[in-house]
Amino acid sequence: MSTVGNPANIFWHENPVGKAEREKLLNQQGCVVWITGLSGSGKSTLACSLGRELQSRGKLSYVLDGDNLRHGLNKNLGFSPESRTENIRRTGEVAKLFADAGLICIASLISPYRKDRDACRALLPDKKFIEVFMNMPLQLCEGRDPKGLYKLAREGKIKGFTGIDDPYEPPLNCEIEIQLKDGVIPTPNEMTEQVVSYMEDRGFLEA
Ligand SMILES: Nc1ncnc2c1ncn2[C@@H]1O[C@H](COP(=O)(O)OS(=O)(=O)O)[C@@H](OP(=O)(O)O)[C@H]1O
Ligand SMILES: Nc1ncnc2c1ncn2[C@@H]1O[C@H](COP(=O)(O)OP(=O)(O)O)[C@@H](O)[C@H]1O
């Protein structure tokens, strides 16, 4: 009988170099910064700005952007609930590998469903998953509409668009919330500073 594809025949190989050794080499803690929020809420803006700031501090990070991943790893996935769940699952697994490699992995995806984000959190060691909620009002995101997708969704030309006719479930216990202050949008630098301070205070930026 063929045993191909039988999970009972798959084994785990320990790597002789451990995560702690890699972290010491890099002088940082491997972790995942998971940025979630509506289309147009500023996820990519924060991811890029944070990546740049960490680079300038000599910290190694890597951005996993939802749009970009859909050009390769996730190119066979659409926007049905099942596809989004698989999109987040795959990205969570890749993010886990980057964190294990000792990097600060910045994942930037709408990731609209709470259970999918929680499943990614569960892949990481305790405290190594930093969920950042871009809590920007739909009206603001729709007003920005940099890709014209909200307009198409309102016209019924895109079905199942997040925030219009597909749900966004806000986090209940995220580590960081980016929001308006007295009605004013924080600048990219301010958003970045909020995340970097969190990481600094908890020792992520040293081994
Ligand atoms: N139906 C629908 N709903 C939401 N978004 C849509 C849709 N169709 C296309 N797009 C574009 O795809 C980008 C979101 O991809 P993600 O991988 O982050 O989405 S998800 O996490 O799987 O929900 C998203 O990019 P951002 O605007 O950067 O968030 C959109 O440009
Ligand atoms: N803090 C901010 N202040 C001003 N404009 C912003 C800010 N964050 C994002 N933007 C602008 O809003 C638009 C959407 O931002 P983006 O980062 O692409 O969102 P997302 O990745 O969530 O879709 C872009 O045109 C971006 O330049």
Side-chain angles (χ1 to χ4, degrees), residues 35 37-47 65 67 108 110 134 136 141 144-147 178 185-189 191:
I35 307 173
L38 292 170
S39 176
S41 60
K43 301 182 297 297
S44 302
T45 301
L46 173 57
D65 186 275
D67 261 335
S108 160
I110 296 179
M134 302 299 299
M136 295 294 148
C141 302
R144 286 173 168 168
D145 205 10
K147 302 170 192 161
I178 309 282
I185 307 164
T187 65
N189 279 347
M191 304 194 297

Side-chain angles (χ1 to χ4, degrees), residues 6 9 15 34 53 85 108 131 135 145 188-189 194-195:
N6 181 348
N9 298 322
N15 189 322
W34 189 281
E53 175 61 23
T85 293
S108 160
E131 191 172 1
N135 189 2
D145 205 10
N189 279 347
Q194 196 177 332
V195 179

Side-chain angles (χ1 to χ4, degrees), residues 38-90:
L38 292 170
S39 176
S41 60
K43 301 182 297 297
S44 302
T45 301
L46 173 57
C48 291
S49 172
L50 178 60
R52 176 50 56 198
E53 175 61 23
L54 291 170
Q55 178 79 14
S56 75
R57 290 170 178 244
K59 303 299 160 191
L60 189 59
S61 70
Y62 192 81
V63 175
L64 296 176
D65 186 275
D67 261 335
N68 293 356
L69 293 175
R70 283 175 175 277
H71 283 83
L73 176 70
N74 296 331
K75 73 194 301 182
N76 62 331
L77 300 176
F79 289 90
S80 67
E82 297 74 24
S83 283
R84 291 187 201 246
T85 293
E86 177 61 9
N87 184 35
I88 301 312
R89 187 193 72 78
R90 286 183 201 172

Side-chain angles (χ1 to χ4, degrees), residues 114-159:
R114 203 175 286 134
K115 69 170 175 35
D116 296 340
R117 297 191 303 267
D118 288 347
C120 292
R121 177 187 289 277
L123 293 173
L124 271 292
D126 194 29
K127 315 273 189 221
K128 302 290 186 185
F129 186 88
I130 304 167
E131 191 172 1
V132 181
F133 174 32
M134 302 299 299
N135 189 2
M136 295 294 148
L138 173 65
Q139 204 187 5
L140 172 77
C141 302
E142 191 169 355
R144 286 173 168 168
D145 205 10
K147 302 170 192 161
L149 297 179
Y150 280 103
K151 183 168 181 290
L152 291 175
R154 288 290 185 196
E155 291 167 357
K157 293 177 182 159
I158 299 179
K159 302 283 183 209

